[in-house]
Amino acid sequence: MVINIIRILDNKFPSLDVSSQKAVYASFYRLAYGVAMHIANDHWTAEDIVHDALLKVLYHPPIVDTDRQFMVWIKVVARNLAISAVRQRKNDLFFTDEVHFLSDNITTVEQVVETKLLLQHVRECIGELNPAYRKIMEWKWNEKSNREIAFVSS
């Protein structure tokens, strides 16, 4: 397994034959999938993370002294990508039905574009908030009462 993955460091991966590339990918998959699946808790997301991690490793190989350091680095890359994917999914869930909520009053393409730009700006502004305030905004978006928010946040 180590020998297959080390071929990535030699920058010879693109020149390998298809069966060798598949062997390298299989070794990489076995190494990174467990980490990605543990964090993402979703098979398809974990596979996307493994693909992204492989591309990241191919384009930006590390300078390491031992095979063990390289293997650990692959796991760190997979872990960081999985954490980013979970954060992105969490942000996407916060705004799942925003377009449907606003779509009742939208009649033209121009209004659709303006609405999407407005929602993107709102996402950016909420992303800049303190996490505690961001959570309160999420509760308000989900129509929690002020009393419920005060009870939960205190």
Side-chain angles (χ1 to χ4, degrees), residues 1 4-5 20-32:
M1 180 165 97
N4 286 339
I5 294 179
S20 297
Q21 287 182 351
K22 286 182 180 181
V24 170
Y25 179 76
S27 299
F28 189 89
Y29 184 89
R30 282 192 299 273
L31 191 62

Side-chain angles (χ1 to χ4, degrees), residues 11-26:
N11 291 325
K12 296 179 183 175
F13 185 79
S15 62
L16 295 174
D17 59 289
V18 174
S19 63
S20 297
Q21 287 182 351
K22 286 182 180 181
V24 170
Y25 179 76

Side-chain angles (χ1 to χ4, degrees), residues 3-15 61 70:
I3 295 170
N4 286 339
I5 294 179
I6 295 301
R7 291 182 180 179
I8 294 173
L9 288 177
D10 297 336
N11 291 325
K12 296 179 183 175
F13 185 79
S15 62
F70 183 58

Side-chain angles (χ1 to χ4, degrees), residues 19 23 30 32 38 42 48-49 52 54 61 75 111 115-116 124 126 131 133 138 144-145 151:
S19 63
R30 282 192 299 273
H38 177 72
D42 178 43
D48 287 344
I49 291 165
D52 291 345
L54 178 64
K75 289 183 177 184
Q111 289 175 330
T115 302
K116 288 185 179 182
E124 291 169 1
I126 289 176
Y133 294 140
E138 181 180 340
K144 299 278 186 189
S145 70
F151 178 75

